[in-house]
Amino acid sequence: MPSIDYRDAVGGALLVAVGAAFAIYSWTHYPLGTVSRMGAGMVPFSLGVILSIFGGMVAMASLSREGSFTDIRVATPLIVLGSVVLFALAIIPFGFLPAAFLVTLVAAFADLSFRPIRNIVLATVLSAAAYLIFAIGLQLPIPLFAWPF
């Protein structure tokens, strides 16, 4: 058993790195202003600092507990990223709702316990939620259905 929780240590270090990158970028590219007269860089700088602090807290907490080595599955992020690419390729010829349904089904293969009925229900619910949010709520001019045949 390792003496530290490596998963939390790496996750905390990544949070620190991302937060620091946002804080440094906003500090160097946007005016911060003052607290009473905030500039464009105040909120991203503050959020980057807060993210770095919380990431440091997660990394420090991982040093005091034991963890286990987790299996590294390369297929999981590749399936999720592939589903995003599939959405980009499917939205023009098929429309928004079929692309959302298809991408949910493909991304569900990243889970080790693939259950077809559950994933079809999930894809249906997420497609309906996407319809309500983007077409009804935000009234975006996205074609919902565009069959190529």
Side-chain angles (χ1 to χ4, degrees):
M1 242 332 148
S3 61
I4 66 171
D5 189 1
Y6 287 106
R7 193 169 58 181
D8 281 351
V10 171
L14 287 174
L15 289 176
V16 168
V18 169
F22 274 100
I24 291 170
Y25 184 83
S26 63
W27 186 31
T28 57
H29 288 83
Y30 300 113
L32 292 180
T34 62
V35 176
S36 61
R37 234 176 131 82
M38 293 185 188
M42 181 68 77
V43 172
F45 176 77
S46 301
L47 291 177
V49 169
I50 290 170
L51 184 64
S52 293
I53 290 170
F54 285 152
M57 291 168 60
V58 168
M60 292 303 244
S62 71
L63 299 175
S64 63
R65 64 176 174 265
E66 291 187 6
S68 61
F69 291 111
T70 59
D71 295 334
I72 297 174
R73 293 189 59 225
V74 177
T76 300
L78 291 178
I79 290 171
V80 173
L81 290 174
S83 68
V84 172
V85 171
L86 178 66
F87 181 79
L89 294 174
I91 193 166
I92 298 296
F94 296 111
F96 180 66
L97 291 180
F101 187 85
L102 182 66
V103 78
T104 304
L105 287 180
V106 171
F109 280 106
D111 189 14
L112 290 176
S113 61
F114 182 79
R115 295 187 187 103
I117 301 297
R118 180 192 68 174
N119 293 335
I120 289 172
V121 169
L122 176 68
T124 304
V125 169
L126 288 179
S127 297
Y131 169 73
L132 291 174
I133 291 169
F134 295 110
I136 302 296
L138 296 175
Q139 297 178 350
L140 293 179
I142 300 173
L144 299 178
F145 294 100
W147 301 107
F149 33 82

